[in-house]
Amino acid sequence: MKDIFANQTSSLTSPFGYAEVVITSDSLDLPYASRALYIGVTGDIKVTTLGGTVVTFRNHPVGYLPARVSRVHSTGTTAAEIIAVW
């Protein structure tokens, strides 16, 4: 497969190139810092931002949460089918 954009520098506004299902954890970080999270089922989502702040987004709708996060917590997260993209 040819990628005509292979020589272009990627930025935070570029489309994501990778995605992985999030396994929530109160003690383990994601393997890669996210560019955004896709929320598949509405609910609360508790995260640790890349800057180290712990915050809960209440009743987040289905769709993207454009946030650089290092962890999605089990405790306090009721949203489901979460996918990290980067």
Side-chain angles (χ1 to χ4, degrees):
M1 173 203 62
K2 291 185 179 183
D3 180 1
I4 62 172
F5 299 105
N7 294 326
Q8 301 295 315
T9 302
S10 202
S11 74
L12 290 177
T13 59
S14 302
F16 61 86
Y18 303 92
E20 188 171 305
V21 172
V22 169
I23 298 171
T24 61
S25 173
D26 291 330
S27 60
L28 297 174
D29 287 341
L30 299 172
Y32 301 96
S34 71
R35 181 180 295 182
L37 298 175
Y38 177 78
I39 312 302
V41 176
T42 298
D44 296 347
I45 182 162
K46 182 178 178 182
V47 300
T48 300
T49 67
L50 203 53
T53 304
V54 176
V55 63
T56 301
F57 294 91
R58 300 280 179 207
N59 201 32
H60 195 283
V62 169
Y64 285 94
L65 171 60
R68 306 282 324 269
V69 305
S70 59
R71 181 177 299 170
V72 179
H73 296 260
S74 296
T75 304
T77 295
T78 60
E81 298 180 22
I82 303 168
I83 299 172
V85 298
W86 65 96

